[in-house]
């Protein structure tokens, strides 16, 4: 056994000596061949694959906190369906338009009151409501109002095109006598004319609850697509952007176009506007992109049906695509109505606005992107009906949060939490109407107080006896 071992040892030494004798190039080849054979080992390959797999798992776990397939997912944010859709508590309040025992019905009608309504739908509604009160106080017969819209809207709509004329007359018959036309014998009689500035406190909402019955069919069409829907009043239109000087997110060419429009509009007194300050102060409407992010942050899923109540969006489809990227399921009246119905609105813009109004009033959730007159009127009407949820974006606070989100200073989940917390008390719950600003008097005080039609609480509500705090 010992001799055999020595022989093997000697053979090994001989081989090594031969390799050394032949030079370094041969050794390199042997070394290369050895490594190649090592790579082909099944055990080594298996070990390599195992280590690679383990390393991949480590990288995935390490970065899992930074992976957000849907950062605004309601499930991950722990948002319930009730939180998204259920209206805030009415606190036992119920709407009431019935007169008290002190109310005196109109006696006698010894004069006639005629009126022409100017402005948009909201100004028409409030003006008509105020004239009902004036006619009652004056013991006057009210003639069905004329809508003076031809001057700048090129709109030939009449009162009966927009409002339920018969319901208007019969509902108010105890309060004021209303006729369709002025008697012919009085048409040429001289009249006393008065330019009336709307602002009277009139409990006149009940009539509105049954207006535009023909538009209810369009609401029903929405309901066939989804049990619940949001009405988004997207006031991202050319005239408003030019008037407010809001150019955030626009191109230089678009910003210049808006500046020229503002300069050339005589009725707009303020010409030099700082767009950045406007946005920082909360005076700009949400952009379509911001509106989409805001609703996702609140917790609404991408599948939510959204009715967009608006005129022509500035920037067209390109800007709307920013909203659609968050909510693909959006509907406009142009898609909801038939061609025949749309043709009826072609030269009657006021009727088109009325359609947006009634669909917004009937919505499960109403969200205005800007607190303009129309949006506030819808919010006031919904308050009166104690109907649905109205989420009023805090545009000043949101401007700061949007900037931090875009700069990467906030994660989507952090942004969502801050948005939800800051809007807990901005969801349409009953509250007393805001009075005039401190230190103001006369007309200045009147301009700063909250408009009655925007918030008819407390005159038009009573607390139900069965409600306990």
């Amino acid at each position: 056994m010992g001799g055999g071992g020595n022989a093997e040892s000697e053979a090994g030494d001989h081989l090594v000596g031969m390799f050394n004798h032949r030079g370094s190039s041969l050794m390199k080849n042997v070394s290369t061949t050895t490594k190649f054979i090592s790579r082909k080992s099944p055990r080594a390959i298996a070990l390599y694959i195992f280590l690679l797999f383990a390393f991949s798992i480590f990288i995935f776990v390490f970065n899992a906190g930074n992976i957000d397939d849907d950062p605004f997912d309601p499930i991950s944010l722990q948002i319930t369906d009730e939180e998204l859709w259920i209206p805030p508590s009415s606190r036992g309040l119920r709407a009431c338009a019935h007169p008290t025992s002190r109310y005196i019905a109109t006696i006698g009608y010894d004069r006639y009151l005629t009126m022409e309504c100017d402005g948009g739908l909201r100004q028409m509604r409030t003006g008509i409501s105020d004239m009902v009160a004036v006619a009652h106080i004056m013991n006057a017969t009210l003639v069905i109002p004329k809508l003076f819209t031809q001057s700048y809207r090129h709109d030939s709509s009449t009162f009966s095109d927009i409002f339920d004329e018969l319901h208007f007359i019969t509902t108010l018959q105890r309060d004021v006598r209303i006729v369709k036309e002025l008697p012919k014998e009085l048409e040429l009689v001289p009249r006393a004319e008065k330019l009336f500035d709307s602002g009277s406190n009139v409990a006149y909402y009940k009539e509105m609850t049954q207006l535009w019955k023909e538009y209810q069919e369009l609401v029903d069409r929405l309901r066939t697509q989804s049990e619940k829907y949001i009405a988004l009043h997207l006031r991202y239109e050319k005239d408003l952007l030019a008037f407010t000087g809001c150019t955030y997110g626009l191109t230089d060419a678009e910003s210049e176009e808006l500046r020229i429009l503002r300069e050339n509009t005589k009725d707009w007194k303020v010409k030099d506007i700082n767009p950045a300050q406007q946005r920082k102060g909360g005076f700009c409407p949400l952009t379509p992109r911001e509106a989409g992010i805001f609703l996702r942050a609140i917790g609404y899923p991408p599948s939510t049906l959204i009715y967009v109540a608006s005129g022509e969006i500035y920037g067209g489809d390109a800007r709307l695509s920013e909203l659609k990227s968050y909510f693909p399921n959006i509907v406009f009246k142009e898609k909801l109505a038939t061609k025949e119905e749309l043709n009826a609105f072609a030269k009657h813009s006021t009727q088109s606005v009325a359609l947006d109004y009634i669909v917004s009033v009937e919505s499960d959730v109403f969200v205005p992107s800007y607190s303009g007159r129309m949006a506030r009127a819808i919010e006031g009407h919904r308050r009166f009906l104690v109907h649905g949820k109205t989420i009023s974006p805090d545009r000043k606070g949101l401007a700061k949060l949007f900037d931090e989100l875009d700069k990467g200073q906030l994660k989507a989940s952090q942004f969502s939490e801050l948005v939800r917390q800051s809007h807990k008390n901005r969801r349409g719950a009953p509250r007393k109407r805001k009075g005039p600003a401190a230190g103001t008097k006369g007309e200045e005080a009147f301009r700063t107080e909250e408009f009655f039609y925007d918030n008819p609480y407390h005159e038009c509500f009573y607390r139900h006896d069965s409600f306990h705090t």
Side-chain angles (χ1 to χ4, degrees):
M1 289 289 295
N6 291 334
E8 291 177 3
S9 175
E10 289 177 1
D13 292 340
H14 175 71
L15 287 173
V16 171
M18 182 180 69
F19 290 150
N20 289 333
H21 176 72
R22 291 188 177 181
S24 61
S25 61
L26 181 60
M27 286 300 298
K28 288 179 182 178
N29 289 337
V30 173
S31 178
T32 302
T33 304
T34 304
K35 290 180 181 179
F36 179 75
I37 294 173
S38 176
R39 289 197 192 103
K40 285 293 186 178
S41 170
R43 182 176 299 176
I45 293 174
L47 179 62
Y48 176 77
I49 293 174
F50 175 78
L51 291 174
L52 182 63
F53 179 75
F55 181 73
S56 300
I57 293 295
F58 172 77
I59 293 296
F60 177 81
V61 172
F62 181 79
N63 291 302
N66 298 321
I67 297 176
D68 286 324
D69 292 333
D70 187 358
F72 297 124
D73 179 40
I75 297 177
S76 64
L77 296 175
Q78 297 182 338
I79 301 174
T80 64
D81 192 61
E82 288 76 12
E83 184 178 350
L84 293 176
W85 298 104
I86 298 299
S89 171
S90 65
R91 301 173 186 172
L93 295 174
R94 295 188 179 181
C96 179
H98 298 292
T100 66
S101 58
R102 295 175 294 175
Y103 180 78
I104 302 175
T106 300
I107 303 174
Y109 307 94
D110 57 355
R111 67 203 76 187
Y112 287 83
L113 181 64
T114 61
M115 69 172 295
E116 288 185 346
C117 302
D118 200 357
L121 178 66
R122 186 260 194 178
Q123 290 95 322
M124 291 180 189
R125 284 187 58 243
T126 54
I128 292 169
S129 301
D130 291 339
M131 284 301 102
V132 169
V134 172
H136 175 81
I137 294 170
M138 294 175 61
N139 281 339
T141 295
L142 178 65
V143 180
I144 288 290
K146 295 184 181 299
L147 309 184
F148 187 70
T149 56
Q150 294 88 340
S151 58
Y152 65 99
R153 291 179 181 269
H154 305 290
D155 187 347
S156 59
S157 298
T158 65
F159 183 92
S160 59
D161 288 330
I162 301 173
F163 304 104
D164 187 333
E165 190 174 273
L166 179 61
H167 180 77
F168 179 75
I169 295 173
T170 56
T171 300
L172 296 170
Q173 60 188 359
R174 184 169 179 263
D175 307 288
V176 61
R177 179 171 176 255
I178 303 173
V179 296
K180 295 184 178 182
E181 296 178 349
L182 191 69
K184 291 185 178 181
E185 62 270 21
L186 297 179
E187 288 180 354
L188 300 178
V189 174
R191 310 180 193 184
E193 295 187 5
K194 172 70 175 177
L195 179 62
F196 186 79
D197 186 14
S198 178
S200 302
N201 286 359
V202 185
Y204 181 56
Y205 268 82
K206 190 173 183 180
E207 190 272 335
M208 286 297 296
T209 61
Q210 297 185 31
L211 286 180
W212 309 316
K213 290 180 179 178
E214 63 270 27
Y215 294 155
Q216 185 62 44
E217 182 181 345
L218 299 181
V219 176
D220 294 340
R221 291 176 198 170
L222 273 174
R223 298 290 185 195
T224 61
Q225 298 183 37
S226 177
E227 182 181 352
K228 299 181 177 68
Y229 72 92
I230 295 174
L232 172 64
H233 188 239
L234 192 59
R235 189 71 167 91
Y236 199 76
E237 301 165 29
K238 187 176 182 178
D239 61 335
L240 179 65
L241 295 177
F243 176 75
T244 58
C246 296
T247 59
Y248 175 76
L250 301 182
T251 65
D252 291 341
E254 289 172 328
S255 300
E256 180 63 12
E257 180 184 28
L258 297 180
R259 186 194 66 77
I260 293 173
L261 175 59
R262 184 169 63 253
E263 288 288 338
N264 295 336
T265 304
K266 295 180 180 179
D267 293 338
W268 297 350
K269 305 302 180 185
V270 181
K271 305 297 183 181
D272 188 15
I273 300 176
N274 185 323
Q277 290 298 321
Q278 283 289 93
R279 183 170 181 269
K280 185 178 180 180
F283 303 118
C284 292
L286 297 182
T287 69
R289 172 181 175 269
E290 290 173 337
I293 295 176
F294 172 73
L295 290 174
R296 294 291 285 116
I298 290 292
Y300 293 100
S303 59
T304 303
L305 178 64
I306 296 182
Y307 177 85
V308 178
S310 72
E312 184 178 354
I313 300 299
Y314 189 61
D317 291 340
R319 199 130 290 136
L320 274 174
S321 65
E322 298 173 352
L323 172 62
K324 288 182 178 180
S325 66
Y326 294 96
F327 293 94
N329 196 17
I330 64 174
V331 179
F332 295 84
K333 53 181 168 285
E334 289 80 7
K335 292 183 179 180
L336 195 61
T338 64
K339 289 184 178 180
E340 292 74 17
E341 291 167 336
L342 290 175
N343 289 336
F345 299 147
K347 295 183 179 180
H348 301 86
S349 60
T350 307
Q351 295 182 48
S352 180
V353 174
L355 170 58
D356 280 343
Y357 183 97
I358 198 66
V359 174
S360 297
V361 167
E362 292 293 331
S363 66
D364 298 279
V365 177
F366 174 65
V367 181
S369 68
Y370 183 76
S371 57
R373 293 174 176 176
M374 179 73 166
R376 295 199 305 270
I378 294 173
E379 182 175 357
H381 196 159
R382 289 169 64 86
R383 285 184 188 276
F384 174 76
L385 297 175
V386 195
H387 173 73
K389 176 183 292 186
T390 299
I391 305 176
S392 302
D394 173 16
R395 298 189 307 280
K396 182 177 180 179
L398 285 173
K400 180 176 181 293
L401 293 178
F402 282 130
D403 288 342
E404 292 177 353
L405 180 67
D406 291 339
K407 293 176 182 177
Q409 297 173 355
L410 285 177
K411 291 184 178 180
S413 57
Q414 295 171 320
F415 176 85
S416 179
E417 180 63 26
L418 290 172
V419 168
R420 290 167 57 208
Q421 288 297 326
S422 62
H423 287 78
K424 276 189 173 182
N425 297 321
R426 302 179 67 93
R427 305 199 176 197
R431 61 169 175 79
K432 288 188 176 181
R433 192 166 58 255
K434 297 175 183 177
T440 58
K441 295 181 180 180
E443 191 166 334
E444 184 182 0
F446 170 74
R447 286 198 304 266
T448 59
E449 69 178 326
E450 191 173 17
F451 203 36
F452 169 78
Y453 296 104
D454 300 344
N455 184 7
Y457 179 76
H458 57 92
E459 292 90 340
C460 295
F461 293 87
Y462 72 96
R463 193 177 298 278
H464 195 259
D465 293 338
S466 62
F467 180 77
H468 300 283
T469 58

